[in-house]
Amino acid sequence: MVATGLFYVGAVLFVNGLLLLGFVEPKAAGVMNLFVGGLQVLTPTYVIFTADGDPALILTGSGLYLFGFTYLYVGIGLLAGLDTTGVGWFSLFVAIAALGYSWANFTLAGAPWLGVIWLYWAVLWTLFWLVLGLKRESLTRYTGWVTLLEAWITAAIPGFLLLTGQWPATTMTAVVLAAIGVVMLVVLLPTLRPPKAKTAEAGEGGPAPVETPSDPAHART
């Protein structure tokens, strides 16, 4: 059941990444956020209520609420046209909590691969805080690409492989994931550069700069 939720987290991160890159309209993305946000609230509720006091299952379920609340918050905000600072600062809370869940998976659950994935999410939600909470629009494209890639690396692919029983839950998997994450963050650094302004002929004055429009998804996941 948790693997199913993880797979659809990949779907909503994919849509939100495209939103940040300007390929999806805000209200269109809002609907998907509500779908997955609802799923990520119902799933951990079921897991916790049927855990029979198992602390490991309760811990797993509690972490899923971070995603459910984020996507519901984003979905409602996109559909209602709300300011993004609320979900931005909530993202900082999620990023800090993700460090705790990463530690728990490394030390208590014996799942280092999942610990690495939580570190991915800590980085991603930190970027959401910077873009949505602090309005650092220069990070929008970078955050969009990180979101798009993490959709597959941390959620869709692991979720599907877990559903089919093919996911290698080993220490080597954790090492490979960590290496991919570092490479991803470095390779995407060029997206931090602002797009070059276009120019147009302006009579005898020569080329005149044309204002480049701001990112259409400048403060929305």
Side-chain angles (χ1 to χ4, degrees), residues 60-120:
T60 298
S62 66
L64 298 180
Y65 282 119
L66 294 171
F67 299 98
F69 294 155
T70 296
Y71 302 134
L72 288 177
Y73 207 156
V74 170
I76 293 170
L78 291 174
L79 293 174
L82 302 179
D83 178 77
T84 63
T85 50
V87 70
W89 282 95
F90 176 66
S91 295
L92 176 61
F93 176 88
V94 175
I96 295 170
L99 295 177
Y101 281 97
S102 175
W103 170 82
N105 279 281
F106 275 116
T107 60
L108 303 179
W113 64 271
L114 192 52
V116 172
I117 286 179
W118 273 106
L119 289 177
Y120 270 87

Side-chain angles (χ1 to χ4, degrees), residues 45-202:
T45 300
Y46 175 82
V47 169
I48 290 173
F49 271 86
T50 58
D52 195 27
D54 185 335
L57 286 176
I58 294 173
L59 178 67
T60 298
S62 66
L64 298 180
Y65 282 119
L66 294 171
F67 299 98
F69 294 155
T70 296
Y71 302 134
L72 288 177
Y73 207 156
V74 170
I76 293 170
L78 291 174
L79 293 174
L82 302 179
D83 178 77
T84 63
T85 50
V87 70
W89 282 95
F90 176 66
S91 295
L92 176 61
F93 176 88
V94 175
I96 295 170
L99 295 177
Y101 281 97
S102 175
W103 170 82
N105 279 281
F106 275 116
T107 60
L108 303 179
W113 64 271
L114 192 52
V116 172
I117 286 179
W118 273 106
L119 289 177
Y120 270 87
W121 293 333
V123 171
L124 182 58
W125 261 254
T126 298
L127 290 172
F128 289 158
W129 167 59
L130 293 172
V131 172
L132 305 177
L134 299 185
K135 308 290 188 178
R136 301 292 173 83
E137 296 183 17
S138 61
L139 293 172
T140 300
R141 283 199 306 156
Y142 184 79
T143 303
W145 281 111
V146 171
T147 304
L148 204 60
L149 292 178
E150 286 204 19
W152 298 99
I153 298 170
T154 69
I157 293 174
F160 182 78
L161 292 179
L162 284 168
L163 286 170
T164 58
Q166 301 301 310
W167 178 254
T170 64
T171 301
M172 180 55 65
T173 300
V175 173
V176 171
L177 283 172
I180 291 173
V182 172
V183 171
M184 174 190 71
L185 293 174
V186 172
V187 168
L188 292 177
L189 286 177
T191 63
L192 292 171
R193 300 171 186 166
K196 293 181 179 178
K198 298 180 181 178
T199 60
E201 293 298 327

